[in-house]
Amino acid sequence: MFSYSSVSLFTLLCSALSYPSVFPTSNSTNSNSTKCRCFPGDDCWPSQEEWNNFNKTVGGKLIATVPIGSVCHNSDFGSFDEEACRTLQGHWPYPKTHFESSSSIMAPYFTNYSCNPFSKPDAQCTMGNYVSYAVNATGTEDYQDTIAFVRKHNIRMVIRNTGHDYLGKSTGAGALAIWTHHMKDMELIDYKSPSYTGKAMKMGAGVQVWESYKFTHDHGYTNVGGDCATVGVAGGYTQGGGHGPGASKFGPAADQALEWEVVTGTGEVLTANQEQNQDLYWALSGGGGGTYGVVSSLTVKVYPDLKSSAANLTFPFEGTNNESFWDAVETFIHESPSLMESGCFAIWSFDAKEGFRLWPTNCPGLPQADLQKILSPTLEKLRQHNISHKFMIDEFDTFYSSYQTFNARHEISTTIQGSRLIPRSVFDTNFTQLMSIYRHYVAAGLSVAATANNESMQNFPPTTNSVDPVRRQAVFNSMMSMPLHPTDHAINQARYAEMTNTYLPLLTNLTPGARAYMNEADYQQPDWQKVFYGENYARLLGVKDKYDPEGIFFAVTGVGSEQWFQDRDSRLCRVR
Ligand SMILES: Cc1cc2nc3c(=O)[nH]c(=O)nc-3n(C[C@H](O)[C@H](O)[C@H](O)COP(=O)(O)OP(=O)(O)OC[C@H]3O[C@@H](n4cnc5c(N)ncnc54)[C@H](O)[C@@H]3O)c2cc1C
Ligand SMILES: *[C@@H]1O[C@H](CO)[C@@H](O)[C@H](O)[C@H]1NC(C)=O
Ligand SMILES: *[C@@H]1O[C@H](CO)[C@@H](O)[C@H](O)[C@H]1NC(C)=O
Ligand SMILES: *[C@@H]1O[C@H](CO)[C@@H](O)[C@H](O)[C@H]1NC(C)=O
Ligand SMILES: *[C@@H]1O[C@H](CO)[C@@H](O)[C@H](O)[C@H]1NC(C)=O
Ligand SMILES: *[C@@H]1O[C@H](CO)[C@@H](O)[C@H](O)[C@H]1NC(C)=O
Ligand SMILES: *[C@@H]1O[C@H](CO)[C@@H](O)[C@H](O)[C@H]1NC(C)=O
Ligand SMILES: *[C@@H]1O[C@H](CO)[C@@H](O)[C@H](O)[C@H]1NC(C)=O
Ligand SMILES: *[C@@H]1O[C@H](CO)[C@@H](O)[C@H](O)[C@H]1NC(C)=O
Ligand SMILES: *[C@@H]1O[C@H](CO)[C@@H](O)[C@H](O)[C@H]1NC(C)=O
Ligand SMILES: *[C@@H]1O[C@H](CO)[C@@H](O)[C@H](O)[C@H]1NC(C)=O
């Protein structure tokens, strides 16, 4: 059986958790006034007949949620099934278990443990924060029908693709979801517009990173996608900016976006690109998922596939002299900007349990010998200090084979996390302080991880999309994490408070004015509007209000979400 205590740091990036008592608790009672969305049990909640009619409207694609953990409990959803439960527990860490479901999410903190497969059979199994229903969408008509239904009945709506979101954006109590997972069309096209002429890939909203990599590779091209193979391309990933193996060389995912097909909050089907509906194009390309409309397809730039090198490196903390360990880590981090400048992407992490890991660095277009040279000061330190280590380096004819060979499989989030984008300037002025904060984290039992990209791409016109220009000054995204308790929500809430109030501020104070990556952040991030969206916030809010005037789309820390809060039962209500 899978046990949380054995989860390695490797799970950190493909999973970081949070719980949903998330929202400012406020005074509002469970009123079902129009101030709040209609909730199951309210008189205004649609009758069975209305749901059945809606199901007919969407061609039988309506799914009533049965929490996947229900096989582990005796509840209204059925009875405990020992074998099915054991199988689910075994498969729980894998993203597939969740993205194939119309309701399950990968950040258990936000499930409220309402139907936790790791709690006792007689422990509760309720709907909790899972969506009540989902439409297994195949196109814009399903989107329009669903939006019309939620507007008519004042129901909360959620857009969900994979359920990867770390901040609880792709779930919600009492919600009807548009589930985009099965919209898998992919097409290589010749795109022609005043701003770009060349090869492009048009993909449906459900396409996942690995599918996009395989598709472009099969046609002799490559594209920007995440390190994690199972993240969806067109949803939260690209809309939130998106980093990954190609992003140092070609720019973040949002810079690749040429055109979005989207259904707005009023049910209009629009095409947004640099020539039409530019404001919507600008907002969707970097302004956050689940906010401005439901995307049905995304068209992105592709690049001829290219020779690539990659490397990974591990060395232990335990059994290594502390000062030697830190000297090697410090050398690696200090030299890491050379990786980014050379077009590499890197994921590295360290803690007292797993030691240091570079897992891996991908360098599209860089010869192996050059990569070896960049890593040599670190390797030299390891030899000097006689630290036993594992180092692999190789060169490939294509980016795809490099990715296939070196990139680790990701698991879901079993951590509580906070993060900060570390600006280049810290290397010149406060590097020593940065390293002492890292020592402090490790001594306190935290794990530190980073995803490193040069997102500056100084030839990219900064006003084309809403990727915050300050964010582009970052050398890496520093993520800190603590393990999530497998069954006790109260303990997790306390740990989250520690992350937000004690640990995260150390990096915030070191980097005044810096940002955090909205897709891999602390959902309780203070001043999140500025920290996630920068100076673009006010303009993004204008676009939000224009295309979603009724606030149909709500996502935790999404633009405009400060106008809503979640009540005691997690019902969504307007602040005013
Ligand atoms: C294991 C793991 C690995 C990760 N690796 C990377 C990485 O390598 N690089 C990186 O940049 N990020 C990474 N992330 C973060 C990732 O970018 C975010 O979790 C992102 O939100 C996932 O998008 P999704 O659409 O797949 O997920 P979902 O959880 O389904 O959706 C996320 C958000 O996007 C919205 N959304 C989804 N589809 C649509 C749509 N069609 N139209 C409008 N809104 C939509 C949802 O409403 C929600 O707000 C990782 C996360 C995890 C858990
Ligand atoms: C909530 O209610 C308490 C007591 O009833 C009151 O003191 C407080 O000001 C209220 N807060 C808000 C935000 O209305
Ligand atoms: C919701 O509104 C109905 C009237 O439409 C009322 O009868 C019911 O008690 C309300 N429910 C709650 C929880 O306030
Ligand atoms: C919707 O209709 C289909 C086909 O008739 C059916 O299989 C499915 O169970 C229905 N969904 C709900 C929620 O009733
Ligand atoms: C989430 O959990 C808290 C306490 O554990 C509870 O008060 C709240 O009602 C739960 N929310 C849902 C939607 O189950
Ligand atoms: C969702 O629809 C797809 C076809 O678009 C189908 O293959 C799949 O089985 C459906 N999933 C569920 C859970 O209904
Ligand atoms: C990122 O790349 C740009 C060139 O596009 C270069 O000028 C800049 O120095 C690089 N930044 C970092 C931190 O490596
Ligand atoms: C290096 O470490 C090995 C064991 O890991 C030990 O046998 C050897 O003596 C050490 N050499 C030096 C120079 O410290
Ligand atoms: C390093 O990469 C090799 C493939 O070249 C892989 O077999 C190994 O598991 C990787 N090690 C780590 C720690 O990721
Ligand atoms: C090394 O670090 C560990 C964990 O932080 C600590 O327990 C130990 O005392 C340290 N040893 C030395 C020699 O500093
Ligand atoms: C960072 O460095 C600057 C310039 O050296 C200094 O003024 C500032 O106090 C430092 N910040 C911290 C938190 O050490």
Side-chain angles (χ1 to χ4, degrees):
M1 189 192 99
F2 168 69
S3 106
Y4 276 92
S5 59
S6 70
V7 170
S8 84
L9 234 198
F10 275 77
T11 65
L12 178 117
L13 291 163
C14 253
S15 63
L17 317 200
S18 329
Y19 227 70
S21 328
V22 180
F23 290 92
T25 0
S26 111
N27 271 339
S28 117
T29 55
N30 291 344
S31 86
N32 57 15
S33 67
T34 54
K35 202 184 142 188
C36 295
R37 292 296 181 207
C38 203
F39 207 66
D42 292 349
D43 288 355
C44 54
W45 188 253
S47 65
Q48 194 53 54
E49 196 191 340
E50 285 169 313
W51 283 112
N52 290 344
N53 287 337
F54 174 59
N55 192 12
K56 282 191 198 116
T57 307
V58 295
K61 293 173 211 163
L62 183 69
I63 301 167
T65 297
V66 175
I68 62 173
S70 62
V71 293
C72 299
H73 299 281
N74 296 306
S75 73
D76 293 349
F77 297 106
S79 30
F80 176 58
D81 176 339
E82 194 177 345
E83 200 187 321
C85 179
R86 205 180 308 115
T87 303
L88 177 67
Q89 287 174 339
H91 291 171
W92 191 257
Y94 306 120
K96 197 169 193 275
T97 305
H98 309 275
F99 68 66
E100 286 191 337
S101 141
S102 59
S103 57
S104 193
I105 55 166
M106 298 185 212
Y109 183 79
F110 291 100
T111 66
N112 221 7
Y113 285 156
S114 66
C115 186
N116 181 357
F118 298 99
S119 63
K120 301 220 160 62
D122 288 322
Q124 65 163 3
C125 174
T126 62
M127 204 68 99
N129 283 311
Y130 291 116
V131 299
S132 298
Y133 290 92
V135 172
N136 185 6
T138 56
T140 51
E141 261 179 57
D142 292 335
Y143 289 10
Q144 289 176 302
D145 290 338
T146 307
I147 290 168
F149 189 77
V150 300
R151 287 174 79 194
K152 177 168 177 209
H153 294 281
N154 186 30
I155 294 173
R156 177 176 184 175
M157 211 197 92
V158 159
I159 309 167
R160 66 172 272 119
N161 180 12
T162 62
H164 260 293
D165 195 80
Y166 285 118
L167 291 84
K169 289 179 168 184
S170 44
T171 195
L176 167 59
I178 289 181
W179 184 36
T180 63
H181 177 63
H182 289 282
M183 294 173 58
K184 297 285 195 186
D185 289 349
M186 285 181 273
E187 198 187 343
L188 191 71
I189 60 174
D190 291 301
Y191 193 85
K192 206 167 182 229
S193 78
S195 42
Y196 177 84
T197 299
K199 289 285 175 198
M201 170 173 44
K202 181 176 180 180
M203 69 189 112
V207 170
Q208 288 167 284
V209 162
W210 97 81
E211 293 161 329
S212 75
Y213 286 162
K214 179 161 193 325
F215 180 84
T216 49
H217 170 74
D218 287 348
H219 291 82
Y221 291 89
T222 189
N223 61 292
V224 173
D227 178 72
C228 182
T230 58
V231 163
V233 183
Y237 170 75
T238 297
Q239 293 174 43
H243 60 62
S248 285
K249 182 139 186 95
F250 305 118
D255 291 4
Q256 314 308 321
L258 293 166
E259 188 165 302
W260 304 88
E261 271 177 351
V262 55
V263 179
T264 67
T266 52
E268 251 186 301
V269 185
L270 296 179
T271 297
N273 56 35
Q274 284 187 51
E275 286 75 42
Q276 308 168 56
N277 301 306
Q278 290 109 316
D279 53 353
L280 184 56
Y281 168 85
W282 175 84
L284 285 168
S285 310
T291 304
Y292 313 96
V294 200
V295 167
S296 55
S297 84
L298 166 65
T299 303
V300 297
K301 295 176 189 170
V302 299
Y303 304 90
D305 208 343
L306 68 181
K307 280 195 172 178
S308 296
S309 57
N312 63 21
L313 171 68
T314 57
F315 52 92
F317 181 81
E318 244 170 84
T320 302
N321 171 285
N322 283 6
E323 290 313 316
S324 303
F325 176 85
W326 286 110
D327 192 26
V329 171
E330 186 171 323
T331 303
F332 172 80
I333 297 176
H334 194 263
E335 298 303 315
S336 66
S338 310
L339 282 175
M340 280 75 252
E341 276 156 17
S342 306
C344 305
F345 165 80
I347 297 196
W348 42 263
S349 58
F350 52 85
D351 63 19
K353 200 168 141 211
E354 305 281 349
F356 174 90
R357 300 182 178 200
L358 168 64
W359 54 286
T361 180
N362 296 100
C363 308
L366 191 74
Q368 176 179 336
D370 294 6
L371 175 56
Q372 179 83 36
K373 202 180 286 167
I374 297 169
L375 295 173
S376 65
T378 306
L379 296 167
E380 184 49 39
K381 272 283 189 276
L382 292 167
R383 274 190 294 271
Q384 252 177 41
H385 292 307
N386 198 22
I387 299 173
S388 71
H389 58 276
K390 285 194 188 119
F391 176 63
M392 309 272 299
I393 185 164
D394 212 339
E395 189 173 73
F396 302 86
D397 285 341
T398 61
F399 162 71
Y400 188 69
S401 41
S402 152
Y403 177 83
Q404 294 283 83
T405 311
F406 270 88
N407 288 66
R409 201 168 133 184
H410 287 262
E411 295 186 354
I412 68 160
S413 313
T414 47
T415 61
I416 279 159
Q417 80 173 13
S419 74
R420 192 81 175 166
L421 288 162
I422 305 298
R424 182 72 177 86
S425 58
V426 167
F427 279 66
D428 306 324
T429 56
N430 304 82
F431 190 70
T432 315
Q433 290 94 318
L434 176 67
M435 289 308 301
S436 51
I437 291 170
Y438 284 161
R439 284 181 186 224
H440 178 75
Y441 285 153
V442 169
L446 273 67
S447 296
V448 178
T451 48
N453 257 149
N454 180 358
E455 293 186 355
S456 64
M457 300 299 286
Q458 283 160 3
N459 55 2
F460 194 86
T463 51
T464 307
N465 64 32
S466 51
V467 175
D468 173 30
V470 173
R471 168 179 161 174
R472 292 178 189 263
Q473 294 164 12
V475 201
F476 62 84
N477 175 27
S478 182
M479 302 162 75
M480 295 72 68
S481 68
M482 296 191 274
L484 194 75
H485 190 283
T487 52
D488 192 328
H489 183 44
I491 288 178
N492 289 327
Q493 284 175 306
R495 286 183 187 166
Y496 237 118
E498 250 188 304
M499 177 59 78
T500 308
N501 303 322
T502 307
Y503 294 119
L504 186 54
L506 297 178
L507 278 189
T508 308
N509 295 338
L510 182 74
T511 59
R515 309 292 197 232
Y517 176 32
M518 69 180 85
N519 280 346
E520 297 180 335
D522 179 351
Y523 79 95
Q524 301 183 117
Q525 171 70 55
D527 195 17
W528 57 265
Q529 289 90 340
K530 180 74 172 289
V531 175
F532 294 168
Y533 304 92
E535 302 302 336
N536 290 331
Y537 195 79
R539 191 173 160 208
L540 287 168
L541 192 55
V543 177
K544 163 78 174 169
D545 290 343
K546 176 174 169 188
Y547 291 98
D548 183 25
E550 294 165 29
I552 300 298
F553 310 118
F554 168 86
V556 182
T557 72
V559 167
S561 63
E562 66 278 350
Q563 292 162 17
W564 300 84
F565 66 93
Q566 296 196 64
D567 212 334
R568 267 195 288 280
D569 56 5
S570 300
R571 176 201 300 261
L572 193 63
C573 299
R574 272 187 200 279
V575 171
R576 270 186 296 279

